[in-house]
Amino acid sequence: MNASSSSSTVDVATVLAALRRTLGDVAVIDADAQDAARYLNDWSGDYRGAALAVLRPATVAEVQDIVRLCGQHRLAIVPQGGNTGLVAGAVMEGTPRAVIVSLERLNRIRGVDAENFSMSADAGAVLQSLKDAAEARDMLLPLALGAQGSCQIGGNVSTNAGGINVLRYGMTRDLVLGLEAVLPDGSLFQSMTGLRKDNRGYDLKQLLVGAEGTLGIITGVELKLFPRPANVETAYLGVASFADAMALFRLAREVCSDLLTAFEVIGAECVALASLANPDTRVPLQEDWPVHVIMELGCSPTIDGRALIESLLAEAFEAGLLGDGTIAQSRAHAKAFWAIREDLVEGQANYGRHIRTDLSVRLGDVAPMIERARAHLSSNWAGWQPLAYGHAGDGNIHFNVLPPRGMATDEIRRHGSRVLEDLYAIVREFGGSFSAEHGVGRSRRSVHWDWLTPEQRAVSKALKAVFDPLGIMNPGSILPEA
Ligand SMILES: Cc1cc2nc3c(=O)[nH]c(=O)nc-3n(C[C@H](O)[C@H](O)[C@H](O)COP(=O)(O)OP(=O)(O)OC[C@H]3O[C@@H](n4cnc5c(N)ncnc54)[C@H](O)[C@@H]3O)c2cc1C
């Protein structure tokens, strides 16, 4: 019997009373309490979740207690970090039939090992706090994303988060040196070795990375750190097309090699959304350009980063790839460039319900894919406005679509799902992915399942069964419920 089919028969009140006795009042929030709302609803406001209760363990042993007790009673668990995920992985809609386990109280930085260039932390530590702690020791934790002030490292690992620095440092997966997790039977998986090289058989910790809470609850993480680039150069550029932006990227890779840390594109139409979130938005370009680029490189003070970026831009200008641009004169100036990129995401949330994607294609297909999707929308979906921006240096574009102003929510839902299907069909034509970095969760489960081959489906189910034979861990996320 799996968790979903049996939870209606569970004496939930008895289980919650036992949990309250074990964990104390502070760790149990009733689902109808006012405080529960922020755990139930996701960041985007698109998903209104429901739960039997919210549990907030403060120690690894308490996480084990919860998982054991839920397992005994076949009660489903939804692990939750900062609840900034965008695919309904940490919230469950419909009739309440699971407990949310929030890691927010398990949030200590366990230590920084400067000699090993690594740090370890509880899973509930907020990403920004880890970045600050690394910086205080003159090192860099390169994972960087708009939600870093709220998302937790356990959530980042569970979604294998990307962000703006993947170009140079890789996805979260590449930063994980060790993991600790409570498995669905309540046992503790320990692999906090801090080793960079360790080829002893299967790399089991990597199975938990990107598993979105379906295989266990991550409680601790050890992460790779890097020397902090003291010399950072940031440029905000205007170019004529996405094709030119990608040609510029190629040139930047050749000229700057691995010093390039970020290469983001922003379709000019997105700037209006940034202004929606921040009316003081000022684009640092002399003229209007159809596509904007934020490019950053980082190096040690012994390298003349400014000379490098200037020579790149001169070469790009000469080659006709670059229209206009500004190099940041200070960290505050660079921060203002990045604010445009962050505000345009916030602006979309302010606009209201819209279609959100997270597509990836091979680098050579970025510009053709965007043009194809734009052409498709303009001929088939009059009034729907495309917004294209993203981590172009990783082939990752958020091709989002705003519905016509004033359209009713149920109309947006109905038509929007067809717009989404069309966009997924287009990215599939290019051999791409519908989820570059946000994961699958519940909102993309059916497309994920649809795209898998029968062999891939069988292996996914078998893997889930090995870790979680009772199906209590985040049921309905990534895989259909058994
Ligand atoms: C403004 C904004 C910008 C963003 N930018 C990016 C970006 O650039 N790149 C990117 O990749 N994502 C981005 N995201 C998405 C999101 O921030 C990431 O997916 C992030 O990694 C989620 O972390 P979280 O702690 O909020 O996890 P949650 O949303 O709480 O959970 C996400 C998933 O992980 C599981 N989970 C959480 N914690 C644990 C744990 N300890 N153990 C097991 N499972 C767990 C949950 O069950 C859920 O399935 C952005 C989101 C916002 C709102």
Side-chain angles (χ1 to χ4, degrees):
M1 187 167 27
N2 64 38
S4 53
S5 62
S6 62
S7 58
S8 56
T9 63
V10 172
D11 183 356
V12 175
T14 309
V15 180
L16 292 180
L19 284 167
R20 204 179 275 281
R21 274 195 306 278
T22 313
L23 309 174
D25 281 343
V26 67
V28 183
I29 302 177
D30 291 328
D32 55 2
Q34 231 180 0
D35 292 355
R38 72 187 172 94
Y39 305 91
L40 298 178
N41 304 321
D42 80 325
W43 176 89
S44 69
D46 286 357
Y47 305 101
R48 306 237 165 260
L52 298 168
V54 179
L55 307 176
R56 305 186 316 133
T59 64
V60 175
E62 287 183 357
V63 178
Q64 290 184 280
D65 288 341
I66 292 171
V67 173
R68 281 200 194 103
L69 202 63
C70 288
Q72 276 163 24
H73 295 275
R74 309 287 197 270
L75 199 60
I77 292 171
V78 176
Q80 188 176 93
N83 202 10
T84 67
L86 299 170
V87 293
V91 291
M92 205 187 216
E93 289 183 305
T95 314
R97 59 200 176 88
V99 289
I100 288 175
V101 176
S102 165
L103 277 293
E104 68 186 352
R105 292 175 67 227
L106 192 67
N107 59 12
R108 266 181 329 123
I109 293 176
R110 296 186 186 177
V112 176
D113 182 345
E115 201 170 351
N116 195 43
F117 274 95
S118 67
M119 76 191 308
S120 56
D122 292 344
V126 170
L127 175 58
Q128 184 66 57
S129 70
L130 300 187
K131 292 175 72 67
D132 292 345
E135 192 168 332
R137 301 290 296 273
D138 209 23
M139 286 181 285
L140 173 77
L141 172 59
L143 182 60
L145 48 147
Q148 66 195 30
S150 330
C151 61
Q152 299 172 6
I153 194 62
N156 302 143
V157 171
S158 299
T159 56
N160 185 26
I164 58 169
N165 289 335
V166 171
L167 191 58
R168 169 132 152 216
Y169 299 100
M171 299 282 280
T172 301
R173 183 183 298 290
D174 302 299
L175 305 176
V176 171
L177 291 178
L179 272 194
E180 176 195 87
V182 174
L183 299 179
D185 64 357
S187 62
L188 194 64
F189 172 85
Q190 260 288 6
S191 165
M192 298 280 277
T193 63
L195 298 177
R196 282 177 165 65
K197 299 184 87 171
D198 183 8
N199 272 349
R200 290 175 288 174
Y202 304 123
D203 192 348
L204 298 174
K205 69 178 179 305
Q206 286 292 348
L207 291 176
L208 292 157
V209 180
E212 301 184 47
T214 60
L215 302 181
I217 301 182
I218 294 172
T219 52
V221 180
E222 183 149 16
L223 297 162
K224 232 185 242 180
L225 300 179
F226 293 82
R228 190 170 69 83
N231 191 355
V232 175
E233 297 291 346
T234 313
Y236 196 103
L237 310 169
V239 299
S241 64
F242 282 104
D244 279 1
M246 295 312 288
L248 174 63
F249 172 64
R250 197 178 161 73
L251 184 65
R253 287 284 275 169
E254 281 165 16
V255 174
C256 305
S257 185
D258 282 343
L259 297 182
L260 198 61
T261 52
F263 192 94
E264 296 285 310
V265 293
I266 302 173
E269 71 282 358
C270 303
V271 174
L273 274 298
S275 303
L276 209 58
N278 175 9
D280 295 332
T281 299
R282 296 279 171 272
V283 171
L285 299 175
Q286 308 281 342
E287 292 167 35
D288 293 339
W289 287 92
V291 179
H292 303 184
V293 171
I294 304 179
M295 201 185 89
E296 194 159 272
L297 61 83
C299 51
S300 77
T302 50
I303 296 172
D304 190 346
R306 177 57 60 95
L308 193 59
I309 202 163
E310 281 175 352
S311 84
L312 163 68
L313 298 188
E315 202 176 323
F317 199 70
E318 191 82 347
L321 296 176
L322 182 60
D324 188 1
T326 308
I327 300 174
Q329 299 305 318
S330 63
R331 274 187 91 164
H333 199 189
K335 231 173 139 190
F337 294 176
W338 283 113
I340 298 175
R341 173 66 177 82
E342 282 159 25
D343 289 341
L344 74 90
V345 178
E346 187 87 37
Q348 291 171 72
N350 294 356
Y351 182 93
R353 189 172 275 275
H354 59 280
I355 312 310
R356 204 181 306 111
T357 73
D358 169 34
L359 312 175
S360 72
V361 288
R362 295 166 73 92
L363 294 174
D365 289 333
V366 168
M369 190 270 288
I370 294 172
E371 295 316 331
R372 168 98 176 75
R374 280 180 163 177
H376 179 85
L377 273 186
S378 86
S379 1
N380 296 280
W381 293 96
W384 291 69
Q385 193 208 328
L387 303 171
Y389 64 95
H391 316 299
D394 310 318
N396 177 190
I397 296 297
H398 300 300
F399 192 96
N400 295 355
V401 188
L402 301 180
R405 271 272 183 220
M407 187 177 260
T409 307
D410 55 338
E411 290 277 283
I412 299 173
R413 266 188 197 258
R414 198 157 52 82
H415 295 305
S417 61
R418 287 173 45 220
V419 173
L420 201 55
E421 272 172 28
D422 289 358
L423 293 174
Y424 287 167
I426 290 169
V427 78
R428 203 170 185 182
E429 279 170 26
F430 283 95
S433 167
F434 62 83
S435 180
E437 57 176 12
H438 292 164
V440 173
R442 293 181 175 79
S443 66
R444 296 175 181 164
R445 184 192 62 215
S446 61
V447 58
H448 172 55
W449 214 244
D450 192 36
W451 285 29
L452 290 181
T453 63
E455 295 76 12
Q456 289 168 329
R457 281 186 212 141
V459 174
S460 302
K461 280 186 182 167
L463 184 67
K464 171 77 174 169
V466 166
F467 276 81
D468 185 19
L470 300 175
I472 61 166
M473 211 47 90
N474 217 359
S477 189
I478 302 186
L479 303 95
E481 293 187 51

